[in-house]
Amino acid sequence: MHHNIEEKVMKTFLPPHLMTSFALAFDELSSNLADYVLQVAESAVKERGSFSLVLSGGDIPIRLGKLSKAPYVRLVEWSKWHVFWAEENVVPKRHPDSYYWQAKQWFISKVPLLPAHVNPVSPGLSAESAANSYEFAIRQQLKSRTVQVSRSTDCPRFDLFLLSLGSGGHVASLYPNQPVLEEESQWVACVSKDESCESVTLTLPVINAAANVTIVASGLDTARPFMDTMVGRKPIRSHPAQMVLPRDGNLVWFADASAASLFPRANEPYATSATDS
């Protein structure tokens, strides 16, 4: 049913170290993403006996709903999956802005994941307490060897991060020009985008220690940040997605036609200069 990664993820007219799959429609991108997630999961389970998946906000929870349908749902070894979050808003558990709650509605409640393998950020705590509690919980997962330790750092080495590109060029809750972008010692940090919105986020050292990181760019509001991130012409702190560079892992982008709308077609003259830059 699903194809090899190489068939779904192709080198394009983007810089050669980046790999991107372009899809025309929401459902097509979701299917391509589901194929990719399934293949990474199968590889991890075969190699280590388990698969650790880290979710984020945006449309990731909705897209994962694809895995709850045939043929995917019967192909997955759900008992081997362990789910974590790259970010979470400091809101009650059932709040519409809770990324856990969104994932539960669209994905988790529709598949036979083991409840003990679902690891959300604890609700009902202050941002600082929630961050400290989540880091402790992740450290416990390392002790039980559910999650590996990075070969080059002491950070956890999750099998796959699924991140959304935000309209501000951010991923997870790593917003432009925020101090959290310089964090090197903490695995989990609390951030404030503004006075009304606090969140908890995994930090760049943890993301960049992963075996696989996937970033999804979807919609016209991501066209400019996607273009800027791919070309790398903006200050890196103003586009945190540029700072996602796994040290010993793979970075794969999925983009729909709207997000890629500022790029010329591959057969246009600019394509060659973009590849060569």
Side-chain angles (χ1 to χ4, degrees):
M1 183 280 308
H2 62 284
H3 303 282
N4 290 333
I5 292 175
E6 290 78 7
E7 296 177 14
K8 286 294 184 183
V9 183
M10 62 206 79
K11 288 188 179 179
T12 65
F13 49 90
L14 302 175
H17 66 287
L18 296 168
M19 301 182 70
T20 306
S21 173
F22 287 101
L24 296 177
F26 185 95
D27 193 62
E28 182 184 0
L29 193 155
S30 297
S31 294
N32 290 358
L33 183 64
D35 286 349
Y36 178 70
V37 172
L38 182 57
Q39 189 163 341
V40 173
E42 288 178 343
S43 177
V45 170
K46 182 177 180 180
E47 180 181 341
R48 299 190 302 101
S50 66
F51 170 59
S52 55
L53 174 67
V54 185
L55 308 180
S56 65
D59 59 9
I60 294 296
I62 299 175
R63 293 190 184 280
L64 283 181
K66 195 77 176 178
L67 291 170
S68 70
K69 301 174 183 177
Y72 301 100
V73 68
R74 64 174 180 267
L75 295 174
V76 174
E77 292 186 72
W78 294 108
S79 65
K80 308 294 187 181
W81 282 41
H82 298 259
V83 180
F84 302 82
W85 274 260
E87 60 176 330
E88 182 58 277
N89 291 315
V90 182
V91 294
K93 188 174 185 178
R94 295 173 179 264
H95 194 281
D97 291 338
S98 165
Y99 296 135
Y100 162 77
W101 188 245
Q102 292 172 17
K104 182 173 182 179
Q105 288 183 306
W106 289 100
F107 170 54
I108 294 173
S109 65
K110 301 177 185 298
V111 297
L113 283 166
L114 298 179
H117 289 185
V118 178
N119 302 274
V121 177
S122 297
L125 302 176
S126 67
E128 184 175 1
S129 296
N132 291 336
S133 173
Y134 205 48
E135 180 161 334
F136 177 80
I138 292 173
R139 289 185 182 277
Q140 295 303 111
Q141 297 289 339
L142 266 67
K143 287 183 178 180
S144 66
R145 299 188 179 181
T146 298
V147 179
Q148 291 181 298
V149 178
S150 169
R151 295 186 297 267
S152 54
T153 70
D154 67 344
C155 290
R157 181 173 172 82
F158 291 103
D159 292 314
L160 177 61
F161 269 83
L162 292 181
L163 304 174
S164 289
L165 179 66
S167 59
H170 66 277
V171 291
S173 292
L174 302 171
Y175 299 107
N177 302 311
Q178 292 290 315
V180 69
L181 299 179
E182 306 298 327
E183 181 58 56
E184 296 182 353
S185 60
Q186 289 182 284
W187 294 354
V188 189
C190 53
V191 297
S192 296
K193 184 179 180 182
D194 53 53
E195 293 182 357
S196 63
C197 181
E198 285 188 307
S199 58
V200 168
T201 186
L202 299 188
T203 57
L204 280 165
V206 176
I207 295 174
N208 286 332
N212 300 277
V213 179
T214 292
I215 306 178
V216 177
S218 176
L220 282 173
D221 62 338
T222 66
R224 175 54 60 185
F226 180 53
M227 175 75 163
D228 290 342
T229 299
M230 293 292 100
V231 177
R233 292 175 178 166
K234 299 291 183 179
I236 193 167
R237 283 174 55 86
S238 69
H239 283 71
Q242 294 184 82
M243 303 176 76
V244 177
L245 296 168
R247 297 183 59 170
D248 301 302
N250 305 306
L251 173 61
V252 175
W253 285 78
F254 285 80
D256 65 12
S258 295
S261 61
L262 296 183
F263 282 94
R265 296 181 183 273
N267 60 355
E268 293 182 3
Y270 181 78
T272 301
S273 62
T275 304
D276 295 341
S277 63

